[in-house]
Amino acid sequence: MNRLANFFTELMRKYLPDPFVFAIGLTLLSVVLAMAVEGQGLGAITREWGKGFWSLLAFTTQMAVILAMGYVLATAPVTERLLDRIVGAVHKPHTAIIVATLVGAIGSYLNWGFGLVIGGIVAKKLARRVQGVHYPLIIASAYSGFTMYGLGLSASIPVLIATPGHPLAGQMGVIPLSETIFSPPMLILSAVILVTLPLLNAWLHPKAGQKVVEVDPAIDQAAKAPVSDEDGEGRTLASRLNNSRILSLLIGLLGVAYVAFHIADGGSLDLNLINFVILFLGIILLGTPAAYVAKLNEGIKTISGIILQYPFYAGIMAIMAGSGLVNTISQVFVDVATPSTLPFWGLLSSFVINFFAPSGGGHWVIQGPFMIEAAKEIGSPINQTAMSVMLGNAWNDLVQPFWILPALALSKLKLRDVMGYTVIMMVWVGILHIATVWIWGHMA
């Protein structure tokens, strides 16, 4: 297994470009495919790309907010103390790998943005504390837990189609979560991944005598500006306001009150409300406005790649949808599908499409209508078909460079340092997804 990991690591080191270069390459590939497969002219493709480039700007902001403010929540003093207790009980490299994977997986199951951040933070803490931990592997292991988001409480497609009035409600109705993420096959799959993925990752750790790359002690050693004003020490009205616990508590309680009213009024749990909770809970936990701003400034460093690259993926999605490439790709798989195998082929097609559209919600917008019509036409269960698209999305994220950007920003590693390991993790998760979807499809 170590030889296999070394092979993929060396392969990625030689040939894998940085994530932004990958996004540019996918853009150009989409253009070529639209021309060659769909017969589209370059002018029409360029227009579609330009029109779609900023189409997900609001969603980009939501993604950036949840990651930056999730960082604040994950690094708040009370969270830090809890994580330090967890890390303090770990003394062996293999145990550290298992713990990092579990934290990333459980965090992503609860909320994908929180899981992305807290997994990387715990991995860094473990790498600093436990001697002999292979740093690229523990960062990759923490990130691998992100695949659990597709089975979790913030899985975008199941949550969306369970919401009354969702965009495809006229085609498919409302599908309750009890038929998707909380169905017995998906709960069993969640448990199996949660048990086996940490063990696989620990198995990948270099054996005694093999090369281990430990964390660089110089990481994060740059001096941080003090939270208080330089006039500080509470001497001026401005510094007292900046460091007022009362102000943070009052505005935080106002935010909590709104959430309570929203839920009492029957409001839905959407991405904006999740961001709202993360923001005001973070303000309460950080204690003062100045402390919150200082910590948020650290978190913003983790989202530069998101801000830069998401418009490019929005443009790719526009090319895919406008040219008909999504339908063509899906049709290739649907043509060979039967009612019991459509979810399997939906999983594979979703995996391919996710290279070009790495957002679960955006992915569903362009692939969902076609897959639901296919399910209705051949009589395949709609809940299984929708869930297969979600699983393909989450499976591909293990090798789609976009969502690993926050982990790379936190760890100061390059994509090629970790991708060799995530390829192996992707293979194992794929085996589990394929087996589950195939069995589930034949149970109907």
Side-chain angles (χ1 to χ4, degrees):
M1 182 59 72
N2 287 115
R3 286 197 295 269
L4 186 62
N6 291 336
F7 168 77
F8 281 117
T9 300
E10 184 63 16
L11 190 68
M12 297 302 165
R13 186 188 68 80
K14 288 182 177 179
Y15 301 110
L16 187 67
D18 287 337
F20 181 47
V21 176
F22 192 86
I24 293 173
L26 282 177
T27 301
L28 299 177
L29 177 60
S30 300
V31 172
V32 172
L33 289 176
M35 295 173 65
V37 177
E38 303 297 336
Q40 296 285 314
L42 182 58
I45 296 170
T46 303
R47 290 185 178 91
E48 291 287 349
W49 175 72
K51 290 176 183 177
F53 196 81
W54 299 113
S55 62
L56 296 177
L57 195 56
F59 188 64
T60 304
T61 303
Q62 288 175 320
M63 297 300 101
V65 166
I66 200 171
L67 288 171
M69 294 182 179
Y71 175 90
V72 175
L73 192 59
T75 55
V78 63
T79 312
E80 287 273 7
R81 288 193 291 270
L82 175 61
L83 296 181
D84 286 338
R85 284 189 177 185
I86 295 173
V87 169
V90 179
H91 306 287
K92 297 181 179 179
H94 288 79
T95 308
I97 299 297
I98 290 172
V99 170
T101 308
L102 286 173
V103 170
I106 295 171
S108 296
Y109 187 88
L110 297 174
N111 177 268
W112 68 264
F114 184 70
L116 269 181
V117 173
I118 201 168
I121 290 172
V122 167
K124 284 182 66 176
K125 285 178 174 290
L126 287 165
R128 292 192 191 104
R129 177 179 177 82
V130 181
Q131 187 176 6
V133 170
H134 190 49
Y135 189 47
L137 175 60
I138 199 169
I139 295 298
S141 298
Y143 175 71
S144 71
F146 181 58
T147 195
M148 286 293 293
Y149 112 88
L151 293 158
L153 305 182
S154 62
S156 50
I157 295 173
V159 170
L160 176 65
I161 64 177
T163 305
H166 68 86
L168 297 182
Q171 290 178 255
M172 62 185 297
V174 175
I175 308 295
L177 295 178
S178 60
E179 296 183 15
T180 53
I181 59 174
F182 295 141
S183 64
M186 295 299 98
L187 291 175
I188 293 172
L189 176 60
S190 299
V192 172
I193 291 177
L194 203 58
V195 170
T196 61
L197 186 59
L199 296 177
L200 169 69
N201 294 347
W203 191 21
L204 293 175
H205 197 275
K207 303 298 186 290
Q210 295 179 325
K211 182 180 178 181
V212 171
V213 178
E214 296 192 66
V215 62
D216 184 352
I219 291 179
D220 296 336
Q221 294 303 310
K224 296 178 181 177
V227 171
S228 300
D229 285 353
E230 58 181 10
D231 292 337
E233 305 301 330
R235 297 181 205 169
T236 66
L237 176 61
S239 63
R240 288 180 182 178
L241 292 174
N242 290 342
N243 295 282
S244 170
R245 293 186 176 274
I246 294 176
L247 281 178
S248 283
L249 182 61
L250 289 175
I251 194 64
L253 290 176
L254 184 63
V256 171
Y258 168 76
V259 173
F261 286 131
H262 179 83
I263 294 174
D265 294 338
S268 61
L269 180 64
D270 57 16
L271 197 54
N272 285 333
L273 187 65
I274 291 172
N275 281 340
F276 196 91
V277 171
I278 291 175
L279 167 61
F280 286 98
L281 186 57
I283 289 174
I284 292 174
L285 293 180
L286 264 296
T288 69
Y292 189 87
V293 170
K295 190 62 71 172
L296 182 61
N297 285 337
E298 294 178 25
I300 287 173
K301 296 176 183 178
T302 68
I303 64 173
S304 60
I306 302 291
I307 294 173
L308 170 63
Q309 293 184 38
Y310 211 87
F312 281 86
Y313 282 102
I316 293 171
M317 289 164 61
I319 294 172
M320 296 285 289
S323 67
L325 271 173
V326 170
N327 289 352
T328 299
I329 293 172
S330 298
Q331 187 68 55
V332 170
F333 294 96
V334 169
D335 283 344
V336 297
T338 65
S340 58
T341 63
L342 180 63
F344 166 73
W345 294 112
L347 174 76
L348 295 186
S349 61
S350 177
F351 179 89
V352 174
I353 291 170
N354 197 66
F355 278 113
F356 301 90
S359 156
H363 186 137
W364 180 248
V365 167
I366 59 178
Q367 188 181 6
F370 183 89
M371 293 302 299
I372 295 308
E373 284 303 315
K376 291 168 63 177
E377 182 178 335
I378 67 174
S380 184
I382 291 178
N383 64 317
Q384 293 184 19
T385 301
M387 199 63 210
S388 71
V389 176
M390 181 74 262
L391 291 179
N393 169 273
W395 172 28
N396 176 268
D397 282 340
L398 288 170
V399 289
Q400 218 298 344
F402 183 74
W403 290 115
I404 202 171
L405 291 171
L408 297 178
L410 284 169
S411 64
K412 307 298 191 294
L413 291 174
K414 299 291 186 183
L415 180 62
R416 58 181 176 268
D417 297 326
V418 300
M419 186 65 86
Y421 296 107
T422 63
V423 168
I424 297 175
M425 299 163 190
M426 177 272 296
V427 171
W428 175 243
V429 170
I431 291 171
L432 296 179
H433 281 190
I434 290 171
T436 301
V437 168
W438 185 267
I439 294 171
W440 194 18
H442 286 80
M443 288 170 52

